[in-house]
Amino acid sequence: MVFLVRFVAVLFISFAITNYLIFSWKTANIDLNPLKTNNQCYVPEWNRKNTQSTSSSYWNTFSKWLWIKLNLSNQNIHNNTETSILAAYVYPDQISISLFSQHLARQEMYCRYFDCKQKEIPGTAWLGRVFPESVVECPRKYGAEFVSVSKNLEEKAPTPVRLTFRVYDEPVHELSVCMSPMYGNQSTWLQIVDFIEHHKLEGASYFYFYVGQISKYDERMLNDYVRTGEVEVTRLQDKYERVFMAWQFLQIQDCHLRSKYHSKWTVFIDIDERIATNGQKMVEVLRSIQDPTIGDVQLQSLSVVRDQDYPDKYLNLEKLEKELIFKKFNDSIDPVWQGLKTIIRPNKIGIMGIHAAVAQYPGIRTLQLNSTQAVLRHLRSTKNRVFGSDWHITPNENGTLPVLKKRPLPDEFCKVLREAIVKRVLHVYEIIPVNCSTIPIELTETIRHPDPCEQSWAQF
């Protein structure tokens, strides 16, 4: 019996090593000849680099091979048939390409490299594969500024996209926020400002927003944060329509790549969720984690009753005061691990999911925070929930109703948050009309502009 167990173990290890060597051989088909770049292209110092593989670690490579064998990333929930590219990121030792396509996991794909003139660099195509879903990892190539992908070398590659710079020695941001895709017709202007200003007070300094649908009115608020450099907006648009969940799976993978090397810690949450700490900012809690093996931190979910809709538009300061989200919604049930969300170290996580990391690199582990340190306040609607709106009045397994308790944010936090929200809302939506008496007469006499008090814009 012992002999049989040993034999099976040796057989399994031999099989694993054989498959790993085959995988390595398939993904090591790189041309080591010096690249001949277009003389018209200036190649900056950071872009004068070639790598021979997509990983500098044997164990990371073996882990990826194992994740592929275990089929850890397979989201065949969309039927688009063309390969199209969302974005591409250049890191110190590799490039990652994010696809709109969501049905290609584990399929082979060629990385194609282009110079500053979008001319393909001869002899640089490299055979990789899609993994995790919607992601192709590629080695770096000297002088490559644009990249694309193709299923074979004979087909014309889709229009290449410019590489997004992520070759940082140290992360630019200590804590950033990946916000799930914005869709639907609900009002979001007040949610946006509350969401951003709240998390700024918790130490977040950058926000990755993904937008599928948004009204012009709500977009004004979002654009103002883009103006001040705090928000980066990615438009989710493709010729193939898809269900909402398909977009979120795509957004999760892309934002993981987008925040990698750009942010030390990244939290993945929705617009109706707020991190809330007790005495310390979230960024201070993260700073206290000195163990380098911690790759992700999990927070319990605290469901807060939201039994009213948000206002469609800003009307005046008096009404805004009554609609402030953090004042209006505070009834909640006890925190639970169901529906948890995660803050990750992007470069320590191999595959990210909606609620938690799907795969970590070797030696990396998870830390669960106690609810006294931090929770995730989830403003759950009692009117429009996809998974049921009567969650707050549904009996538990033992037949008792959930116990609601008021849990307001700390007074000082609310005071600072209120000032920040009011300041931003007034700046964006309190429009001051044209003062016709101050318009110089030259405007009408010199360039024949119509009277601005009668017609603000010329007709072309």
Side-chain angles (χ1 to χ4, degrees), residues 41-318:
C41 289
Y42 168 74
V43 180
E45 184 67 30
W46 66 266
N47 205 14
R48 300 172 186 175
K49 184 172 184 177
N50 290 304
T51 57
Q52 299 183 23
S53 69
T54 58
S55 176
S56 58
S57 166
Y58 165 84
W59 289 112
N60 286 0
T61 303
F62 179 77
S63 295
K64 184 177 177 181
W65 169 84
L66 184 60
W67 300 336
I68 291 174
K69 291 299 180 183
L70 295 175
N71 200 22
L72 292 187
S73 179
N74 188 15
Q75 300 158 8
N76 294 327
I77 58 176
H78 185 55
N79 59 356
N80 57 316
T81 56
E82 290 183 11
T83 302
S84 55
I85 303 171
L86 171 57
Y89 308 92
V90 55
Y91 307 121
D93 296 313
Q94 69 173 69
I95 290 169
S96 288
I97 302 174
S98 175
L99 306 177
F100 276 114
S101 310
Q102 293 178 279
H103 63 297
L104 300 173
R106 302 193 296 176
Q107 294 187 31
E108 292 185 339
M109 191 78 70
Y110 279 94
C111 303
R112 310 279 287 270
Y113 302 85
F114 300 79
D115 64 16
C116 70
K117 303 292 184 181
Q118 295 195 36
K119 294 182 178 179
E120 188 162 10
I121 302 174
T124 58
W126 188 87
L127 181 60
R129 69 176 66 219
V130 181
F131 194 85
E133 182 69 271
S134 305
V135 177
V136 182
E137 293 182 347
C138 312
R140 289 188 56 181
K141 298 291 185 178
Y142 186 107
E145 290 195 27
F146 294 82
V147 291
S148 186
V149 293
S150 63
K151 293 181 180 180
N152 56 67
L153 293 179
E154 288 70 36
E155 70 173 302
K156 184 176 180 180
T159 302
V161 298
R162 184 182 294 276
L163 288 171
T164 299
F165 183 89
R166 290 293 185 262
V167 190
Y168 298 110
D169 294 328
E170 295 292 336
V172 179
H173 300 280
E174 193 168 4
L175 175 61
S176 296
V177 179
C178 280
M179 224 283 288
S180 62
M182 298 181 66
Y183 274 95
N185 55 11
Q186 66 171 322
S187 171
T188 57
W189 66 272
L190 184 55
Q191 295 182 76
I192 291 170
V193 64
D194 184 277
F195 179 92
I196 293 175
E197 297 300 337
H198 179 111
H199 288 107
K200 283 166 63 175
L201 293 179
E202 290 290 353
S205 58
Y206 203 72
F207 298 81
Y208 309 96
F209 269 69
Y210 289 75
V211 174
Q213 294 174 316
I214 189 172
S215 71
K216 292 296 183 183
Y217 188 85
D218 297 335
E219 192 173 27
R220 284 172 60 181
M221 178 60 72
L222 193 57
N223 287 344
D224 198 62
Y225 282 105
V226 174
R227 175 186 66 85
T228 55
E230 300 161 277
V231 166
E232 175 181 332
V233 175
T234 301
R235 285 283 182 174
L236 296 175
Q237 56 185 45
D238 188 39
K239 65 185 292 183
Y240 292 96
E241 294 183 345
R242 63 197 78 195
V243 297
F244 170 81
M245 189 57 69
W247 281 117
Q248 188 163 11
F249 281 128
L250 187 151
Q251 171 265 334
I252 289 291
Q253 301 303 336
D254 183 77
C255 205
H256 180 197
L257 302 179
R258 194 175 294 268
S259 63
K260 198 173 182 179
Y261 291 96
H262 192 232
S263 182
K264 182 177 180 179
W265 293 95
T266 305
V267 57
F268 290 75
I269 49 179
D270 303 337
I271 199 170
D272 60 357
E273 295 174 328
R274 309 284 186 272
I275 293 174
T277 50
N278 187 16
Q280 285 185 305
K281 294 182 178 181
M282 189 67 240
V283 72
E284 293 171 341
V285 175
L286 295 172
R287 287 172 188 162
S288 70
I289 301 173
Q290 299 298 315
D291 186 346
T293 67
I294 299 300
D296 58 304
V297 175
Q298 295 180 348
L299 307 177
Q300 285 183 287
S301 178
L302 177 71
S303 294
V304 180
V305 174
R306 181 172 73 83
D307 53 4
Q308 297 181 46
D309 293 330
Y310 297 115
D312 291 332
K313 292 185 178 182
Y314 166 77
L315 298 177
N316 54 54
L317 183 55
E318 180 182 359

